[in-house]
C-alpha cells in the first residue's frame, strides 16, 4: 500500500495560543510551567488531528517555542559564551539567543545585557530562522533531549511519530562564524558534530523510534564541492553506528537534481522531494534510488493555500508507483505545513465561492490521505471527494473573479520608458537639495509601536462600534503624537507612524482589487510574530488612493520632510499567497502599476519623500543560478522602477530591505535614491565593504527592532565609526534595522534618542 505522510504541522495553534502564552511569559504574566504545558497541549492536539485524519507517518519535534533551527543550536550546545555565561534556564537561553535579553540586576540575579543572534529568511519563504553561530571554542554536546521527549509524549498518547531534525550538512551550511572566529571554515566542524547527531539518534532509537526524517533542504541550493562531499561522510558515519533508526533525507522548496550525485547511493532508507515545485525531477529521483529505498512524493503544497488538484496529483503518484512499486512510495506534503494557516474551517466570513478554492494545513492533511487512498484502493474508494475536488478546480478556472481585461490591457501597454526616472541619480540629488537635509540624515523605517489602544480602536471601527469620523479623529491624534515625538528628539525625515495599518501587506491588499482575506489565517513569520497573508485571487488594480490622506495630514503638521510609506510590488506578492494560474512576473507588474498610481498621487499631495519597501526582494530570488534567476533579476527591479519612476527629480524615492543576504547589484538595479538595510547583527566589515561602492545613498540599520534591548549611545557611535571606515560620510543615513511596530514606546523612545544623539555627535565632527 501507498502510505501518507505530513512533514510537519503549524505549531502556533488555531487561535494563536502559542503567541499568547509566549508573550505572557515574556511579560511576567505566565510561568514557565504554564508555557511548557501550552506547548504540550498544542503538540497533542496536532498529533491527534493527524491521526484521526488517517495519516500514516506523523512528524514529531516539529514544534518550537521560537524557531526549530534555534532549538537545534540549544540541543547541540551551539551557544555563544555571551549567552551561556549567565547560566539561564534553557528556555530563557533560547529566548535570549532569539530576541536578546536586557534586564537589571536583582537581589538574586545579576544584570543581563545581550543582543539577539542574527536572523535570516528560511530559503525563499517569509519564515525567519536564527542563524547558528559557531566559533573555534564551540563544544558540541547534548543539552537535554527535546526530540526524544516529544517522541515519548506522542507515544504516551498512543501515536507513533517520525521525529524530524535539520540535518548536519544543512545545519552547518546555514550557519555562520562568530565575530571572534571569522577565519573558521564551518565544514571543518563536521567530524565534531556527527557524534552528537548520532547520540541523539541513538536515544531516539532507544525510545522506540523506527525512523527519523532528516531535513537537508540545502540540497536545492548551489553547493560548494566540500559540502556536497560531506553528505557521503555524514551518512556513512551514521550507517556505521549500531542501533540507529532508519533515516529519510528530505529536500524541499526546489530542484535537488544538481546535487543528486552527492546523495545517490547513501546508506539511508529513502528520500523526499518537493514535486510541487519541480515535478521534472521525478526521473532523476527514481534513478538515484537503490532497490530498497523509498520515495516520499511531495504533491500537496506546503507553501500555498490552493486546493490540490487531485486528478493531477494522483496521476503523478501513479507514475512514481509504476516506477518503484507501491510499497516504496509515500504520498506527502511538499514541505512542512508550517508555512500555511491552520484551519480553513475557522474562516466564517470568506466568500463561499472563493473559500471553496482553498486548503489550509488541516485540510491538506486530509488531502494527503485521500490521494494515498486513491492510489492504494482505487479512485472509486474516494469517489465523492474526487468529484467535489474536480468541481472546485473547474469552477476557479472559469471564474470571472480571476480576470480583469482592463488590467491586462494596461500591462500590455507598458514601455521601457515607464520604468526609468527622468534623470540619473546625480541630477536627482541636486534637485533634492530643497529637502534641506544635514549630514548623516536620521529617519526611521516607517512604523511606530502598535499600542493596545490602537488595536482596540481599530477593532471597534471594524465592528461598527465607533463611526468613521471618530476613528479618523483617533488616527489623527496618534499621528500628531508621533510627529511631535520625532521633532522633539531631532529626527530629520519623519514618518506618520502607520497607526491605521494592521500589517504592511494586508493593509494594501484590503484596498486593492483582486485580493481575499482571512480572519484567522495566521502564519508564523518569526518568534511570536505572526502574519495573515492576503490571498491574490484575481488581477490586481487600485480603485482609489490608499495612503494619501494620512500622509498629507502628517506633512501638514511639520516643516520637516514626511515620508509617504508604501509596500513594494515584489513584497506584496511574496508576502501574500500568490496565484498559481498566472506567472509571478505578471502578478508583480500588476501590483507595480497599482502602486505607481499611489506614488504619483502622493507626489501631487506634496509628499516629496516616498518609501517603497522591498524587504522580500532577496527572498524571492530563485534558489539556484539559471534561467529562472536570470529572469527574476530583470522583472523584480523592473516592478519596483515601474512603481516609482513616474515622479519628478526632486521627489526622493527610498526603499528598505532586511533579514536576507543581499546582493548590492540587485539593490543597484532598483535605482532608488536612498536605501536602508538591516545591519545591526552583521558582525564583520565585509558586509559594509560590499555596499561601499553603492552609487546612491544608503542607511545601514543600527539597532535590532526585534529585540527589546536598548543599545547605549556609545554603542551607536561605535557602529557609525565602523561604517565610516569603509563608507563615505556624504552618502550615509542613520536609521534602525526595520519598522518599530512590535516594540513598546518606552524602548522606542530610548532607542531612537540614543541613535539620533550619536548621529549628532558625528555630524559635529565634520
Amino acid at each position: 500500500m501507498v502510505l501518507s505522510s505530513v512533514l510537519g504541522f503549524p505549531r502556533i495553534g488555531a487561535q494563536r495560543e502559542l503567541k499568547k502564552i509566549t508573550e505572557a511569559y515574556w511579560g511576567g504574566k505566565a510561568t514557565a510551567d504554564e508555557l511548557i504545558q501550552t506547548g504540550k497541549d498544542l503538540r497533542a492536539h496536532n498529533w491527534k488531528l493527524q491521526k484521526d485524519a488517517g495519516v500514516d507517518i506523523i512528524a514529531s519535534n516539529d514544534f518550537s517555542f521560537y524557531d526549530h533551527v534555534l532549538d537545534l543550536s540549544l540541543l547541540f550546545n551551539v551557544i555563544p559564551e555571551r549567552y551561556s555565561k549567565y547560566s539561564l534556564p534553557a528556555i530563557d537561553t533560547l529566548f535570549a539567543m532569539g530576541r536578546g535579553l536586557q534586564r537589571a540586576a536583582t537581589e538574586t540575579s545579576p544584570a543581563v545585557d545581550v543582543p539577539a543572534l542574527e536572523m535570516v529568511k528560511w530559503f525563499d519563504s517569509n519564515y525567519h530562522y536564527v542563524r547558528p553561530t559557531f566559533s573555534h571554542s564551540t563544544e558540541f554536546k547534548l543539552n537535554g533531549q527535546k526530540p526524544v521527549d516529544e517522541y515519548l509524549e506522542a507515544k504516551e498518547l498512543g501515536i507513533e511519530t517520525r521525529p524530524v531534525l535539520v540535518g548536519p550538512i544543512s545545519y552547518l551550511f546555514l550557519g555562520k562564524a562568530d565575530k571572534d572566529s571569522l577565519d573558521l571554515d564551518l565544514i571543518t566542524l563536521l567530524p565534531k558534530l556527527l557524534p552528537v547527531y548520532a547520540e541523539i539518534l541513538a536515544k531516539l532509537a532507544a525510545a522506540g523510534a523506527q525512523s527519523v526524517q532528516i531535513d537537508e533542504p540545502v540540497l536545492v541550493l548551489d553547493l560548494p564541492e566540500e559540502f556536497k562531499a560531506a553528505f557521503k561522510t555524514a551518512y556513512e558515519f551514521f550507517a556505521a553506528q549500531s542501533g540507529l533508526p532508519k533515516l529519510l533525507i528530505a529536500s524541499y522548496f526546489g530542484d535537488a537534481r544538481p546535487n543528486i550525485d552527492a546523495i545517490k547511493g547513501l546508506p539511508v532508507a529513502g528520500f523526499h522531494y518537493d514535486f510541487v515545485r519541480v515535478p521534472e525531477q521525478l526521473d532523476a529521483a527514481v534513478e538515484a534510488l537503490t532497490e530498497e529505498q523509498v520515495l516520499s512524493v511531495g504533491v500537496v503544497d506546503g507553501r500555498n493555500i490552493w486546493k490540490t488538484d487531485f486528478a493531477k496529483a494522483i496521476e503523478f503518484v501513479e507514475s512514481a508507483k509504476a516506477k518503484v512499486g507501491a510499497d516504496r512510495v509515500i504520498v506527502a506534503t511538499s514541505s512542512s505545513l508550517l508555512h500555511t494557516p491552520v484551519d480553513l474551517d475557522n474562516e466564517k466570513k470568506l466568500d463561499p465561492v472563493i473559500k471553496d478554492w482553498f486548503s489550509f494545513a488541516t485540510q491538506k492533511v486530509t488531502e494527503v490521505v485521500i490521494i494515498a487512498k486513491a492510489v492504494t484502493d482505487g479512485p472509486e474508494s474516494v469517489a465523492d471527494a474526487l468529484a467535489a475536488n474536480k468541481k472546485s478546480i473547474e469552477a476557479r478556472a472559469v471564474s470571472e473573479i480571476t480576470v480583469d481585461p482592463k488590467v491586462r490591457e494596461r500591462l500590455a501597454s507598458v514601455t521601457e520608458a515607464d520604468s526609468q526616472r527622468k534623470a540619473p541619480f546625480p541630477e536627482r540629488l541636486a534637485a533634492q537639495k530643497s529637502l534641506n537635509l544635514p549630514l548623516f540624515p536620521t529617519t526611521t523605517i516607517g512604523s511606530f509601536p502598535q499600542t493596545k489602544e490602537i488595536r482596540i480602536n481599530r477593532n471597534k471601527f471594524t465592528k461598527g462600534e465607533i463611526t468613521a469620523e471618530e476613528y479618523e479623529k483617533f488616527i489623527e491624534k496618534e499621528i500628531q503624537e508621533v510627529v511631535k515625538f520625532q521633532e522633539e528628539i531631532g529626527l530629520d525625515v519623519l514618518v506618520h507612524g502607520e497607526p491605521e495599518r494592521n500589517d504592511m501587506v494586508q493593509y494594501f491588499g484590503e484596498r486593492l482589487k483582486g485580493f481575499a482575506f482571512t480572519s484567522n489565517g495566521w502564519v508564523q513569520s518569526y518568534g511570536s510574530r505572526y502574519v495573515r497573508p492576503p490571498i491574490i485571487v484575481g488581477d490586481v488594480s487600485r480603485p482609489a488612493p490608499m495612503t494619501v490622506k494620512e500622509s498629507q495630514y502628517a506633512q501638514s503638521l511639520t516643516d520637516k520632510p514626511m515620508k509617504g510609506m508604501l509596500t513594494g510590488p515584489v513584497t506584496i506578492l511574496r508576502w501574500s499567497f500568490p496565484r498559481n494560474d498566472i506567472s509571478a512576473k505578471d502578478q508583480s507588474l500588476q501590483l507595480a502599476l497599482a502602486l505607481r498610481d499611489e506614488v504619483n498621487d502622493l507626489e501631487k499631495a506634496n509628499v516629496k519623500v516616498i518609501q517603497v519597501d522591498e524587504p522580500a526582494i532577496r527572498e524571492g530570488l530563485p534558489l539556484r543560478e539559471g534561467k529562472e534567476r536570470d529572469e527574476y533579476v530583470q522583472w523584480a527591479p523592473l516592478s519596483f522602477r515601474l512603481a516609482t519612476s513616474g515622479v519628478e527629480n526632486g521627489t526622493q524615492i527610498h526603499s528598505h530591505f532586511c533579514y536576507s543576504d543581499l546582493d548590492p547589484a540587485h539593490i543597484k538595479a532598483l535605482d532608488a535614491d536612498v536605501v536602508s538595510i538591516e545591519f545591526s547583527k552583521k558582525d564583520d566589515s565585509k558586509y559594509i565593504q560590499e555596499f561601499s561602492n553603492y552609487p546612491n545613498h544608503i542607511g545601514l540599520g543600527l539597532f535590532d527592532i526585534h529585540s527589546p534591548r536598548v543599545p547605549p549611545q556609545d554603542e551607536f557611535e561605535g557602529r557609525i565609526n565602523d561604517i565610516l571606515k569603509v563608507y563615505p560620510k556624504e552618502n550615509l543615513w542613520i536609521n534602525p534595522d526595520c519598522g518599530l511596530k512590535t516594540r513598546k514606546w518606552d524602548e522606542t523612545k530610548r532607542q531612537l534618542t540614543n541613535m539620533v544623539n550619536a548621529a549628532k555627535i558625528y555630524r559635529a565632527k565634520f
Side-chain angles (χ1 to χ4, degrees), residues 238-308:
F238 294 147
Q241 313 303 307
S242 61
L244 299 191
K246 296 178 180 178
L247 304 182
L248 180 133
I249 295 177
S251 68
Y252 39 78
F253 298 165
D255 191 350
R257 284 177 294 181
N259 293 320
I260 210 156
D261 284 345
I263 59 175
K264 184 176 182 179
L266 291 184
V268 295
F271 300 93
H272 169 89
Y273 298 90
D274 183 342
F275 293 115
V276 173
R277 281 286 190 94
V278 190
E280 299 83 3
Q281 61 185 327
L282 177 60
D283 287 342
V286 170
E287 194 275 330
L289 294 174
T290 66
E291 293 183 357
E292 295 80 28
Q293 288 173 331
V294 300
L295 178 65
S296 177
V297 183
V299 291
V300 172
D301 195 346
R303 288 281 299 273
N304 213 330
I305 48 72
W306 304 104
K307 275 186 176 177
T308 302

Side-chain angles (χ1 to χ4, degrees), residues 128-230:
H128 304 64
Y129 76 98
V130 179
R131 180 168 274 174
T133 303
F134 306 97
S135 72
H136 291 295
S137 61
T138 297
E139 180 186 357
F140 297 108
K141 63 180 180 180
L142 286 187
N143 279 328
Q145 53 174 23
K146 175 182 180 291
V148 179
D149 293 340
E150 294 184 9
Y151 170 79
L152 291 173
E153 272 182 37
K155 197 170 186 178
E156 288 174 4
L157 296 170
I159 301 172
E160 181 62 29
T161 62
R162 182 176 66 189
V164 54
L165 292 168
V166 174
I169 313 307
S170 293
Y171 182 64
L172 289 176
F173 187 82
L174 297 172
K176 62 180 285 189
D178 209 348
K179 54 190 174 184
D180 62 354
S181 301
L182 295 178
D183 62 335
L184 178 62
D185 184 355
L186 298 186
I187 196 63
T188 63
L189 297 174
L190 186 64
K192 297 179 181 179
L193 177 61
L194 290 177
V196 187
Y197 262 93
E199 186 177 354
I200 195 65
L201 290 171
K203 286 179 177 293
L204 284 167
Q210 299 299 304
S211 65
V212 174
Q213 174 186 318
I214 303 290
D215 285 359
E216 292 283 13
V218 297
L219 284 166
V220 304
L221 302 179
D222 294 314
L223 290 176
E225 289 302 321
E226 61 268 27
F227 275 89
K228 289 184 181 182

Side-chain angles (χ1 to χ4, degrees), residues 620-644:
L621 185 73
L623 297 173
R624 288 194 179 282
E625 294 182 2
K627 180 182 178 183
E628 187 181 1
R629 181 179 286 190
D630 292 343
E631 291 173 347
Y632 177 83
V633 298
Q634 296 299 317
W635 66 254
L638 172 65
S639 299
F640 179 88
R641 297 196 308 269
L642 185 60
T644 57

Side-chain angles (χ1 to χ4, degrees), residues 17 104-105 182 204 208 241-242 247 283 314 351 381 440 457-458 477 536 546 563 569 625 634 637 664 707 752 764:
E17 292 90 339
L182 295 178
L204 284 167
Q241 313 303 307
S242 61
L247 304 182
D283 287 342
I314 291 168
D351 178 344
S381 65
F440 307 124
N457 276 272
R458 184 187 300 133
K477 174 177 170 291
I536 305 177
M546 302 179 287
K563 281 197 289 193
E625 294 182 2
Q634 296 299 317
S707 172
L752 289 178

Side-chain angles (χ1 to χ4, degrees), residues 523-720:
V523 177
Q524 186 180 28
S525 179
Y526 65 87
S528 69
R529 170 66 171 155
Y530 304 166
V531 295
R532 280 184 298 158
I535 303 168
I536 305 177
V537 296
D539 292 337
V540 176
S541 60
R542 186 197 75 147
M546 302 179 287
T547 67
V548 174
K549 180 175 66 175
E550 291 81 10
S551 295
Q552 190 173 30
Y553 175 72
Q555 183 64 81
S556 75
L557 301 174
T558 181
D559 292 330
K560 290 189 173 184
M562 177 64 61
K563 281 197 289 193
M565 298 298 306
L566 305 175
T567 303
V570 176
T571 298
I572 293 178
L573 173 66
R574 294 293 309 182
W575 291 0
S576 300
F577 288 116
R579 298 170 67 174
N580 58 3
D581 59 339
I582 67 171
S583 70
K585 174 184 177 181
D586 283 353
Q587 292 175 78
S588 183
L589 293 175
Q590 287 180 7
L591 285 161
L593 289 173
L595 290 167
R596 182 183 182 90
D597 296 339
E598 186 73 10
V599 169
N600 293 346
D601 281 350
L602 282 168
E603 183 183 56
K604 291 174 185 175
N606 202 37
V607 178
K608 298 301 184 182
V609 181
I610 302 170
Q611 182 170 311
V612 181
D613 288 344
E614 283 290 23
I617 199 160
R618 172 61 178 83
E619 170 192 319
L621 185 73
L623 297 173
R624 288 194 179 282
E625 294 182 2
K627 180 182 178 183
E628 187 181 1
R629 181 179 286 190
D630 292 343
E631 291 173 347
Y632 177 83
V633 298
Q634 296 299 317
W635 66 254
L638 172 65
S639 299
F640 179 88
R641 297 196 308 269
L642 185 60
T644 57
S645 293
V647 297
E648 299 299 323
N649 292 334
T651 296
Q652 191 174 76
I653 297 295
H654 288 230
S655 193
H656 171 69
F657 320 94
C658 57
Y659 304 101
S660 293
D661 294 321
L662 299 167
D663 186 331
H666 300 157
I667 307 305
K668 181 179 178 182
L670 304 182
D671 195 27
D673 298 308
V674 182
V675 298
S676 52
I677 298 175
E678 166 260 331
F679 177 69
S680 72
K681 290 188 280 189
K682 303 297 184 186
D683 292 329
D684 63 284
S685 61
K686 180 182 177 182
Y687 195 74
I688 309 174
Q689 192 68 49
E690 289 178 358
F691 286 92
S692 62
N693 295 321
Y694 182 73
N696 301 1
H697 285 191
I698 195 169
L700 297 172
L702 295 183
F703 70 89
D704 176 16
I705 61 83
H706 292 106
S707 172
R709 180 176 179 270
V710 179
Q713 183 177 318
D714 60 358
E715 188 173 314
F716 281 107
E717 292 175 22
R719 293 195 74 82
I720 294 172

